[in-house]
Amino acid sequence: MKTLDQIAAELQGYDPQALSAHTVNGFLAQLVPLPTQSEEVPLMQALGRVLAQTVVSPIDVPPHDNSAMDGYAFDGQALQIDTPLQLTVVGTALAGAAYQGAVATGQCIKIMTGAVMPAGLDTVVPQELVQTSGAQITIPAGVLRAGDNRRARGEDLQQGNTALAAGSVLAPASLGLLASLGLPTVRVWRRLRVAYFSTGDEILSLGQAPREGAVFDSNRYTVWGMLQRMGMECIDLGVVPDEPVALEAAFRSAAALADAIVTSAGVSVGEADHTKAMMRKIAQRDTPGEGGVVFWRIAMRPGRPMAVGRVGRVPLFGLPGNPVAVMVTFLAFVRPALWRMAGANAQDPAISPPLLKARSTQAIRKKPGRTEYQRAIVSPDAQGHLCVETTGDQGSGVLSSMVRANGLLVLHHDQGKVSPGDVVDVMVFAGVM
Ligand code: AMP
Ligand code: MG
């Protein structure tokens, strides 16, 4: 395992006092370990879990050529003539009850959707296209081509081919796909256990009596919610005061219980509190090589200060204190790092909402040299084109504007000011956080 210093030394442009958001992700990708423990679970316990091994299809899906329509199956060669086609119906095939006899030239069978296509037949005419008269059907000329309305064996999945790659985050469609292969269970990585706590003498747990200068703890609720959305196992360690003994105990139990630790507050620059000193002490003492913590100033807004390290071998994400900064740094940095620890492929669609292009309805001031995430409402205009509007007060403590937002307007490191009508990047986070 690389030490923090080794990771830093290999990163281009590593400056703890002015880190780009991009460099932070590069650092975290090296800091966090990949999963080692997997388990076999029934499909209905596998939603949102990460596939631990590539699934190779044991069968063809569908397992036989079958009809895509309710209609009549026949040999498509008969369509070579340009006149209406007359065929005699000699039997019926139902889904699950194949037609067993032979079908000669000039004959057809009645067939239902999903029924096996008898050997030699390759075309189905939908029943609404034919005229029937007793056992005779007539297919008008020009309504069909040979091969129409037949689903080929293996057109979805072929035996021996990759059905799902290791590292896929299992979505409802993936579960259905595994079921279509007849697989009742699937091997997934163990769920990640994440311990989290809030720090600060002024932070009240819910239910505590308000007092002068104190605020209720909102960070533990946003962090819990974001971890839940990722399907992580959450270990809530409450609010910890800025007090060395309590902080030390919290870090120790977090490291003993969890695969990763998320804290908030106490990492600002020039702060006269114990969190930073305690983080450094705990992180370094037991396992000097692996543990440790670095304090960063990230060139971003909101969320400038952040601490990152390991307590023993357990990664620590020390987020800022301000409630919106917590959510934005979690989305930008912690989420991808935790998904990596959970075994997910970096390109998996579950990991980050994609950046979309939208037209800004307003002017936005921005200096190159930092990444800004502005809370925003992304919506279609009258023509259906995406446009974006910020949600007013962007103060890093203003959680109400986060509630009103459905996404973030992302102004990249080197980007300058935005004029009305400019196209900008947006990340829609509804459903993610
Ligand atoms: P700090 O990083 O400790 O300087 O905290 C920055 C700001 O975030 C301060 O105004 C804190 O009161 C506030 N804050 C810190 N932790 C929380 C929390 N858990 N819930 C709400 N606000 C918090
Ligand atoms: Mg504080």
Side-chain angles (χ1 to χ4, degrees), residues 27 38 95 109 144 153 161 176 196 219 276 325 330 390-391 398 428:
F27 191 104
S38 65
I109 61 160
L144 215 58
R153 170 180 180 152
N161 284 3
Y196 54 95
N219 291 341
K276 286 166 78 171
F330 187 98
T390 61
T391 58
V398 183
V428 176

Side-chain angles (χ1 to χ4, degrees), residues 325-336:
V326 165
M327 296 193 75
V328 169
T329 48
F330 187 98
L331 180 72
F333 308 127
V334 181
R335 215 181 122 87

Side-chain angles (χ1 to χ4, degrees), residues 198-199 202-203 215-219 264-268 271 320-323:
S198 297
T199 69
E202 81 283 27
I203 307 303
V215 295
F216 286 114
D217 179 9
S218 56
N219 291 341
S264 67
V267 294
S268 306
E271 200 163 7
N322 280 305

Side-chain angles (χ1 to χ4, degrees), residues 72-154:
Y72 299 88
F74 61 101
D75 180 355
Q77 280 194 0
L79 288 167
Q80 281 173 357
I81 50 170
D82 292 337
T83 52
L85 178 63
Q86 280 216 337
L87 297 170
T88 307
V89 183
V90 295
T92 303
L94 303 174
Y99 174 74
Q100 300 296 353
V103 183
T105 305
Q107 297 182 334
C108 67
I109 61 160
K110 196 166 171 53
I111 194 164
M112 301 303 143
T113 305
V116 174
M117 292 287 283
L121 307 192
D122 61 359
T123 306
V124 173
V125 58
Q127 61 186 21
E128 53 275 22
L129 290 186
V130 306
Q131 288 149 14
T132 55
S133 151
Q136 295 290 311
I137 63 163
T138 305
I139 306 173
V143 297
L144 215 58
R145 284 172 314 179
D148 278 358
N149 304 313
R150 178 198 53 168
R151 302 178 185 139
R153 170 180 180 152

